[in-house]
PDB file of all heavy atoms in Angstrom:
ATOM      1  N   LYS A 243      29.001  -4.970 -70.037  1.00  0.00           N
ATOM      2  CA  LYS A 243      29.122  -5.490 -71.399  1.00  0.00           C
ATOM      3  C   LYS A 243      28.205  -6.710 -71.523  1.00  0.00           C
ATOM      4  O   LYS A 243      28.175  -7.538 -70.634  1.00  0.00           O
ATOM      5  CB  LYS A 243      30.566  -5.842 -71.729  1.00  0.00           C
ATOM      6  CG  LYS A 243      31.472  -4.671 -71.970  1.00  0.00           C
ATOM      7  CD  LYS A 243      32.870  -5.121 -72.366  1.00  0.00           C
ATOM      8  CE  LYS A 243      33.776  -3.949 -72.702  1.00  0.00           C
ATOM      9  NZ  LYS A 243      33.323  -3.239 -73.903  1.00  0.00           N
ATOM     10  N   ARG A 244      27.516  -6.807 -72.649  1.00  0.00           N
ATOM     11  CA  ARG A 244      26.590  -7.916 -72.809  1.00  0.00           C
ATOM     12  C   ARG A 244      27.398  -9.222 -72.841  1.00  0.00           C
ATOM     13  O   ARG A 244      28.407  -9.347 -73.547  1.00  0.00           O
ATOM     14  CB  ARG A 244      25.839  -7.757 -74.156  1.00  0.00           C
ATOM     15  CG  ARG A 244      24.629  -8.670 -74.237  1.00  0.00           C
ATOM     16  CD  ARG A 244      23.989  -8.502 -75.623  1.00  0.00           C
ATOM     17  NE  ARG A 244      23.511  -7.198 -75.920  1.00  0.00           N
ATOM     18  CZ  ARG A 244      22.348  -6.720 -75.582  1.00  0.00           C
ATOM     19  NH1 ARG A 244      21.509  -7.494 -74.887  1.00  0.00           N
ATOM     20  NH2 ARG A 244      21.963  -5.485 -75.876  1.00  0.00           N
ATOM     21  N   ASP A 245      26.985 -10.185 -72.016  1.00  0.00           N
ATOM     22  CA  ASP A 245      27.700 -11.435 -71.889  1.00  0.00           C
ATOM     23  C   ASP A 245      26.756 -12.505 -71.378  1.00  0.00           C
ATOM     24  O   ASP A 245      26.516 -12.569 -70.163  1.00  0.00           O
ATOM     25  CB  ASP A 245      28.903 -11.246 -70.922  1.00  0.00           C
ATOM     26  CG  ASP A 245      29.799 -12.472 -70.848  1.00  0.00           C
ATOM     27  OD1 ASP A 245      29.407 -13.561 -71.409  1.00  0.00           O
ATOM     28  OD2 ASP A 245      30.839 -12.387 -70.173  1.00  0.00           O
ATOM     29  N   ASP A 246      26.261 -13.346 -72.246  1.00  0.00           N
ATOM     30  CA  ASP A 246      25.319 -14.417 -71.857  1.00  0.00           C
ATOM     31  C   ASP A 246      25.943 -15.463 -70.952  1.00  0.00           C
ATOM     32  O   ASP A 246      25.241 -16.160 -70.256  1.00  0.00           O
ATOM     33  CB  ASP A 246      24.778 -15.074 -73.115  1.00  0.00           C
ATOM     34  CG  ASP A 246      23.884 -14.148 -73.906  1.00  0.00           C
ATOM     35  OD1 ASP A 246      23.365 -13.157 -73.357  1.00  0.00           O
ATOM     36  OD2 ASP A 246      23.649 -14.431 -75.115  1.00  0.00           O
ATOM     37  N   ALA A 247      27.280 -15.478 -70.954  1.00  0.00           N
ATOM     38  CA  ALA A 247      27.977 -16.494 -70.117  1.00  0.00           C
ATOM     39  C   ALA A 247      28.568 -15.922 -68.851  1.00  0.00           C
ATOM     40  O   ALA A 247      29.325 -16.573 -68.145  1.00  0.00           O
ATOM     41  CB  ALA A 247      29.111 -17.121 -70.962  1.00  0.00           C
ATOM     42  N   ALA A 248      28.222 -14.666 -68.504  1.00  0.00           N
ATOM     43  CA  ALA A 248      28.751 -14.009 -67.311  1.00  0.00           C
ATOM     44  C   ALA A 248      28.496 -14.843 -66.075  1.00  0.00           C
ATOM     45  O   ALA A 248      27.345 -15.332 -65.869  1.00  0.00           O
ATOM     46  CB  ALA A 248      28.211 -12.610 -67.182  1.00  0.00           C
ATOM     47  N   GLN A 249      29.478 -14.968 -65.183  1.00  0.00           N
ATOM     48  CA  GLN A 249      29.347 -15.755 -63.973  1.00  0.00           C
ATOM     49  C   GLN A 249      29.963 -14.984 -62.820  1.00  0.00           C
ATOM     50  O   GLN A 249      30.895 -14.195 -62.965  1.00  0.00           O
ATOM     51  CB  GLN A 249      30.018 -17.134 -64.100  1.00  0.00           C
ATOM     52  CG  GLN A 249      29.412 -18.026 -65.160  1.00  0.00           C
ATOM     53  CD  GLN A 249      28.052 -18.532 -64.734  1.00  0.00           C
ATOM     54  OE1 GLN A 249      27.745 -18.703 -63.580  1.00  0.00           O
ATOM     55  NE2 GLN A 249      27.170 -18.777 -65.748  1.00  0.00           N
ATOM     56  N   LEU A 250      29.441 -15.260 -61.608  1.00  0.00           N
ATOM     57  CA  LEU A 250      30.067 -14.773 -60.350  1.00  0.00           C
ATOM     58  C   LEU A 250      30.693 -15.953 -59.623  1.00  0.00           C
ATOM     59  O   LEU A 250      30.484 -17.126 -59.954  1.00  0.00           O
ATOM     60  CB  LEU A 250      28.982 -14.157 -59.437  1.00  0.00           C
ATOM     61  CG  LEU A 250      28.206 -12.953 -60.029  1.00  0.00           C
ATOM     62  CD1 LEU A 250      27.011 -12.595 -59.169  1.00  0.00           C
ATOM     63  CD2 LEU A 250      29.170 -11.738 -60.152  1.00  0.00           C
ATOM     64  N   ARG A 251      31.504 -15.602 -58.642  1.00  0.00           N
ATOM     65  CA  ARG A 251      32.123 -16.682 -57.842  1.00  0.00           C
ATOM     66  C   ARG A 251      31.029 -17.462 -57.096  1.00  0.00           C
ATOM     67  O   ARG A 251      29.938 -16.954 -56.836  1.00  0.00           O
ATOM     68  CB  ARG A 251      33.093 -16.076 -56.832  1.00  0.00           C
ATOM     69  CG  ARG A 251      34.388 -15.555 -57.422  1.00  0.00           C
ATOM     70  CD  ARG A 251      35.336 -15.085 -56.385  1.00  0.00           C
ATOM     71  NE  ARG A 251      34.802 -13.985 -55.587  1.00  0.00           N
ATOM     72  CZ  ARG A 251      35.382 -13.539 -54.478  1.00  0.00           C
ATOM     73  NH1 ARG A 251      36.509 -14.030 -54.012  1.00  0.00           N
ATOM     74  NH2 ARG A 251      34.816 -12.522 -53.826  1.00  0.00           N
ATOM     75  N   ASP A 252      31.365 -18.690 -56.761  1.00  0.00           N
ATOM     76  CA  ASP A 252      30.435 -19.555 -56.078  1.00  0.00           C
ATOM     77  C   ASP A 252      30.137 -19.011 -54.694  1.00  0.00           C
ATOM     78  O   ASP A 252      31.043 -18.869 -53.865  1.00  0.00           O
ATOM     79  CB  ASP A 252      31.010 -20.953 -55.970  1.00  0.00           C
ATOM     80  CG  ASP A 252      30.067 -21.969 -55.356  1.00  0.00           C
ATOM     81  OD1 ASP A 252      28.954 -21.595 -54.943  1.00  0.00           O
ATOM     82  OD2 ASP A 252      30.444 -23.170 -55.240  1.00  0.00           O
ATOM     83  N   MET A 253      28.857 -18.726 -54.396  1.00  0.00           N
ATOM     84  CA  MET A 253      28.465 -18.176 -53.140  1.00  0.00           C
ATOM     85  C   MET A 253      28.770 -19.112 -51.989  1.00  0.00           C
ATOM     86  O   MET A 253      28.771 -18.731 -50.788  1.00  0.00           O
ATOM     87  CB  MET A 253      26.961 -17.817 -53.096  1.00  0.00           C
ATOM     88  CG  MET A 253      26.603 -16.575 -53.900  1.00  0.00           C
ATOM     89  SD  MET A 253      24.838 -16.296 -53.879  1.00  0.00           S
ATOM     90  CE  MET A 253      24.745 -14.517 -54.185  1.00  0.00           C
ATOM     91  N   GLN A 254      28.983 -20.409 -52.273  1.00  0.00           N
ATOM     92  CA  GLN A 254      29.238 -21.423 -51.207  1.00  0.00           C
ATOM     93  C   GLN A 254      30.726 -21.588 -50.949  1.00  0.00           C
ATOM     94  O   GLN A 254      31.098 -22.442 -50.147  1.00  0.00           O
ATOM     95  CB  GLN A 254      28.592 -22.732 -51.589  1.00  0.00           C
ATOM     96  CG  GLN A 254      27.090 -22.680 -51.732  1.00  0.00           C
ATOM     97  CD  GLN A 254      26.476 -23.981 -52.086  1.00  0.00           C
ATOM     98  OE1 GLN A 254      26.053 -24.755 -51.231  1.00  0.00           O
ATOM     99  NE2 GLN A 254      26.444 -24.273 -53.378  1.00  0.00           N
ATOM    100  N   ALA A 255      31.544 -20.774 -51.635  1.00  0.00           N
ATOM    101  CA  ALA A 255      33.023 -20.923 -51.428  1.00  0.00           C
ATOM    102  C   ALA A 255      33.614 -19.604 -50.859  1.00  0.00           C
ATOM    103  O   ALA A 255      34.819 -19.523 -50.709  1.00  0.00           O
ATOM    104  CB  ALA A 255      33.669 -21.263 -52.709  1.00  0.00           C
ATOM    105  N   LEU A 256      32.832 -18.591 -50.573  1.00  0.00           N
ATOM    106  CA  LEU A 256      33.306 -17.281 -50.177  1.00  0.00           C
ATOM    107  C   LEU A 256      33.597 -17.195 -48.686  1.00  0.00           C
ATOM    108  O   LEU A 256      34.503 -16.419 -48.283  1.00  0.00           O
ATOM    109  CB  LEU A 256      32.332 -16.184 -50.637  1.00  0.00           C
ATOM    110  CG  LEU A 256      32.082 -16.148 -52.155  1.00  0.00           C
ATOM    111  CD1 LEU A 256      31.046 -15.008 -52.405  1.00  0.00           C
ATOM    112  CD2 LEU A 256      33.350 -15.892 -52.934  1.00  0.00           C
ATOM    113  N   THR A 257      32.843 -17.882 -47.875  1.00  0.00           N
ATOM    114  CA  THR A 257      32.980 -17.841 -46.426  1.00  0.00           C
ATOM    115  C   THR A 257      33.242 -19.258 -45.928  1.00  0.00           C
ATOM    116  O   THR A 257      32.556 -20.188 -46.329  1.00  0.00           O
ATOM    117  CB  THR A 257      31.730 -17.262 -45.752  1.00  0.00           C
ATOM    118  OG1 THR A 257      31.421 -15.985 -46.364  1.00  0.00           O
ATOM    119  CG2 THR A 257      31.973 -17.038 -44.242  1.00  0.00           C
ATOM    120  N   TYR A 258      34.226 -19.394 -45.006  1.00  0.00           N
ATOM    121  CA  TYR A 258      34.583 -20.723 -44.540  1.00  0.00           C
ATOM    122  C   TYR A 258      35.220 -20.601 -43.156  1.00  0.00           C
ATOM    123  O   TYR A 258      35.469 -19.506 -42.620  1.00  0.00           O
ATOM    124  CB  TYR A 258      35.531 -21.442 -45.502  1.00  0.00           C
ATOM    125  CG  TYR A 258      36.695 -20.565 -45.942  1.00  0.00           C
ATOM    126  CD1 TYR A 258      37.892 -20.533 -45.175  1.00  0.00           C
ATOM    127  CD2 TYR A 258      36.651 -19.823 -47.097  1.00  0.00           C
ATOM    128  CE1 TYR A 258      38.939 -19.718 -45.549  1.00  0.00           C
ATOM    129  CE2 TYR A 258      37.743 -19.066 -47.541  1.00  0.00           C
ATOM    130  CZ  TYR A 258      38.892 -19.026 -46.731  1.00  0.00           C
ATOM    131  OH  TYR A 258      39.923 -18.256 -47.151  1.00  0.00           O
TER     132      TYR A 258
END
Side-chain angles (χ1 to χ4, degrees):
K243 287 184 176 292
R244 197 185 297 274
D245 185 352
D246 292 339
Q249 296 291 329
L250 298 170
R251 290 184 297 172
D252 184 357
M253 286 178 156
Q254 298 181 94
L256 301 178
T257 307
Y258 49 85

